[in-house]
Amino acid sequence: MTASNTASCHTTCPYCGVGCGVVTNTTDRLTVSGDTAHPANLGRLCVKGTNLHETTDLNGRLMQPRVAGRQVAWDQAIGETARAIRESIAQYGPESVAFYLSGQLLTEDYYVANKLAKGFIGTPHVDTNSRLCMSSAVAAHKRAFGADAVPACYEDLELADLLVLVGSNAAWNHPVLYQRMKAAARDGRRVVVIDPRETATSELADLHLRLRPGTDTVLFNGLLVWLADQGGLDADYIAEHCEGFDDALAAARAAAPDVAAVASQCDLPEEAVTRFYRWYQATPRTVTGFSQGANQSVAGTDKGNAIINCHLATGRVGRPGASPLSLTGQPNAMGGREVGGLANTLAAHMDYQTPGARELVAEFWQCEQVADGPGHKAVQLFDAIHDGKIKVLWVMATNPAVSLPDTARVREALQRCPTVIVSDCMASTDTTEFADILLPAAGWGEKDGTVTNSERRISRQRQFLPLPGEVRPDWWIMTEVAKALGFGEAFKYAGPADVFREHAALSAFRNDGQRIFNLAGLTTLSNEEYDQLSPVQWPVLPGALAGQARLFGDGHYCTANGRGRFVPIHTVLPVCQPTAEAPLVVNTGRIRDQWHTMTRTAKSPRLLQHRGEPFIEVHPDDMARYGLQDQGLASLHNGDQRYVGKVRSCPQQRVGEVFVPIHWNQQFSSAGLASALTDRVTDPVSGQPESKHGVASIQPLKTKWHARLLVRQNRPRRWRADYWTYVPMADCDSWWLAGTSDEDWAERADYWLGGAPQLVMNDPAQGMFRAARIVDGRLEALILVDRDVSRLPDLAWLETCFASDTLSERDRRALLAARDAEAEDIGAIVCSCFQVGERQIEAAIAAGAASVDELGKRLRCGTNCGSCLPELKELVANAVEVKVTS
Ligand code: SF4
């Protein structure tokens, strides 16, 4: 591996749990490419990874500590943070202090946070946004295997002859893994997708089971019954390596006695259920990948165990091409699990309830005692803040005001909390607005440490950019606070390598094989060896430094008696069910080109061109029923909560169900918070919220006008309009606006443009208004208003008018006409890598491009990261369908 202080640097992508290796080069300007030597991606990157270089600018960064809104020096910020914690402990006890962490943190940051909170402040209230992502899979692993250990590796997704994907739109959410799955296509290999929605991943499916939301446990209980009745069990494996089979089978029979019962409960054709069961029985090399669609549920842990039960029953765990495999969302969700970042865990895969664990950790950390947990899980934690039990909250690298369910209550909780400390790299997020103390943290490229991906692979994230302004790494910030609190002796870290060695040493401390998470082989790394560390899958033991690809393949598990545990699964359906007032089921999820709350991905204009506005996918039957227009605006209502987005007609939705993306927030839209539509309902075992199942009513937004507003940088982002969405662009900022009442445009042009316009076209009879503010010949602001949204132009050519310092006569005419006669309208961007639009693709298809390959040859679309291939395929298929129909 190349050292971090050269122009070329091997590091890891900061987005999803695939954990792709990235090579950056800073010789002239920053470039990014896939690391061909990294085992997770072997050189591939998706569109988000490919555009990482566009996200490292300093626009919008938090560069200096702030206390009560004032910029201060670090010593004051550290002093104020320590004072708030000390006073809270003195007055209310250590449990009045809480930490809310993130899968974006590096393992070293996570380790220091956990040690400071549990070992020295003495609070167990340390949870992480990974609670929202895969805590149900963690709980399922612990119940079945006795440890939170993923048995499989990515290669198994390729080796499997039957690949079952449950609640996973891998094509958009784990795109490089999806590319690997797709490239593994061969005769005899089959893919089954289990998902209520038809997604881009369905393209891979030989069988798509669009089951009723929340009935996954019924489907897998039915599979267990089928295997038992049809001779599909591995009886020897069950007898030698497992326990609890009879109880699990009895529960499965009660819940899903036969195929007919399964089909009826899951709303699936009997034939399709039978086909899945036959394939599963007949295919020893079966991998079941499961993700947020399974985890984010009131029965998320049960879904994981229902899946694992079938793998235990067939002896398909930890064997090449045969295993369950949880796909995590975040780059370091796994690292957080390793250090004890979840409130119900202690440290280094030890739990509070394990006899002697608290004493062992206290001895290692050399503290008097560790917190007597478990602490509050995320939703509970914010309830405790709301109720006044938590007085100091320290949030790091996450945005709970957007991502937690019932967001209005979360914001109320943040408002009520006496001291909110936020460490973040961005200055303005929905959460930083509540901060009393703001601490500028290092971002990707500036920080240095390790992350662990979904297959337990530890990789280095290396620093290749200088720390800007007063920005500091999270481990350093916490170490300074620890010193200010008087714990300096225990936090003498000169750099992340010191922290990593200690983390590895704790994993190995008195670990004679009781704990499978063990980095004993890495405890003595020199600083140079740490810097050069190659990706490796834990456990890493002194005699096996290459790590271990698979676990439990020998049938020996981490339970007290070494046996894998079957878990009886009873049917628990989603808590929020449709009513007359809220008749629609709301599903939420990610989209292809955005990441979480958009703080980084929205910096890349390319990534906003695929989907630039919050939207609602609705089945055409529901559109007719509720009077909705395709591409029109509509609002979803859940009690007092409201979400406004653009309607997308989507025959792939089930009738009665809608889908909304999770990314938009109050920095980017007037009412695009998906979490406003989901309630504080959680899985009773894992505490993971049921984010995939809200309910709402829908109605069209009766708009009287639509507008495009483009302004040179540095204007306020929130507007007084019924609807706005912010679309940052390279040379200007832009907003898409709409209103339900009349506006006197001529009168109010100054408000929108930030001054009097020089060019004006006003045609009230047609519902049109256009105005531009020009200063010294340069375009400063532009607004185009129309009652008919379809008459408004795409933003791409408008932006070019902001690129130059002088506005030509031709540009002026084009602006007033709201149309550049010479510019090609390429439509919405489908291929972000090569900026190929939908209209260009349709034209190429009309001109004879009959396949995705042919489109690639003509337009280059789909030939780089491949993330758009499912959409290209759909466009080709739609064109064929239209031809056949006509
Ligand atoms: Fe990053 Fe894409 Fe790889 Fe995920 S799949 S780690 S987002 S490059």
Side-chain angles (χ1 to χ4, degrees), residues 13-20 44-46 48-49 173-177:
C13 174
Y15 294 127
C16 83
V18 179
C20 295
R44 299 175 175 98
L45 289 179
C46 76
K48 291 187 284 288
N173 299 330
H174 299 97
V176 165
L177 278 190

Side-chain angles (χ1 to χ4, degrees), residues 78 82 112 116 120 477-488 491:
I78 298 289
V112 176
L116 174 61
F120 290 85
I477 299 171
M478 286 179 279
T479 297
E480 292 303 305
V481 171
K483 287 179 192 162
L485 286 168
F487 309 132
F491 291 84

Side-chain angles (χ1 to χ4, degrees), residues 577-592:
Q577 291 294 340
T579 61
E581 292 74 40
L584 293 168
V585 169
V586 179
N587 191 352
T588 70
R590 284 185 261 162
I591 61 172
R592 193 189 78 188

Side-chain angles (χ1 to χ4, degrees), residues 507-527:
S507 78
F509 189 55
R510 306 241 176 84
N511 187 353
D512 301 320
Q514 310 92 324
R515 308 192 302 273
I516 197 165
F517 174 67
N518 191 339
L519 304 181
L522 302 175
T523 55
T524 57
L525 288 180
S526 67
N527 285 356

